[in-house]
Amino acid sequence: CTPENVENACYRVSTYVSVIHYPVTYPVDLCEVIVTSKTLEFVRDRSINTVLAGGASPEKVISQISLTIYNINPTEMNEDESGLFTDSVLAFLRKFLAWNSPSIFVEGVAFDAQVLGIYSPIDNSERLLSNESSPIGEKNSHKLTVSMTVEAEYLPPPEIDVTDIIVETFNEEEEDFIEIVEDSENAYFEGTYDILSFRAAVVDVNESIQKSQGETSNFGALGNDGGITVIVCSFLIFSIILCLCWKKHYRIESRQRKYNFLRDEALRRRRTTMGSF
């Protein structure tokens, strides 16, 4: 090999790694992804300039998905329940994506947000949970939409869309996912396993940016439009108050000037009268 700097030496090192694994649960391809990734991570953490000879580097992917859970209790998950649910998602994805071609290793899953809503099993219409009353005779069920971030990596080629594969896996292997959730003994799903159902979807990045505009705005939760509206309204209110105060001050000044004029006029007349005597 040729070093990048003439003052440095370059060595070609062949490394053999023996991995003991359960072939039924973990395929050889998954082991290759993990070993390659951890090896590169090891040498890079030590500032060692390394190039893989004849092999591709792992492709890291961050996927944002939403899982809608139907026929659940009308509450949101607490911290413990959301933690157990995240573990179930991680276990499910690692189980099935390991056997994808190419094999996908799921490094971690994060629970981002949850929104409680209702839907009608009759026409499949959905809406957020609110104080609005439902049409007479309409029977509604509750749903919970959970936004999650999945960190994964794989060894190309070929190039694949990991996010789409994750969504398809959830929708095609729904029963297996429900079994994993049931085995976790998550109290949130107690009494709902017989009617429980899931639906996965890709999170719209543009929509997420719009929804989180309040969080990234300089005006906080108000958002840019809300913040500008508050400033304009505050300015108008301040202007009205200032105008009223000025009018009040003007009336007081006018009264004072009138009083001073009458007083001076009375004193002048008094002096004139006294002078005539």
Side-chain angles (χ1 to χ4, degrees), residues 117-146:
I118 55 178
Y119 79 102
S120 173
I122 298 176
D123 58 4
N124 292 326
S125 61
E126 302 183 16
R127 59 183 180 273
L128 297 178
L129 187 62
S130 64
N131 295 324
E132 298 178 1
S133 58
S134 302
I136 298 176
E138 181 180 347
K139 184 179 179 181
N140 293 320
S141 297
H142 291 87
K143 68 182 182 72
L144 184 72
T145 300
V146 178

Side-chain angles (χ1 to χ4, degrees), residues 28-69:
V28 176
D29 289 348
L30 181 64
C31 296
E32 186 178 357
V33 175
I34 297 175
V35 170
T36 305
S37 176
K38 296 304 178 184
T39 301
L40 289 176
E41 183 179 326
F42 175 84
V43 296
R44 286 169 182 168
D45 287 345
R46 287 155 180 79
S47 300
I48 302 174
N49 187 12
T50 304
V51 177
L52 289 177
S57 298
E59 183 77 20
K60 292 185 178 292
V61 180
I62 296 179
S63 302
Q64 290 183 311
I65 64 168
S66 67
L67 282 174
T68 302
I69 315 167

Side-chain angles (χ1 to χ4, degrees), residues 6 13 31 45 57 67 88 131 170 192-193 230 233 237 256:
V6 294
V13 179
C31 296
D45 287 345
S57 298
L67 282 174
S88 297
N131 295 324
F170 269 112
T192 64
Y193 293 110
V230 170
C233 291
I237 294 174
Q256 187 65 38

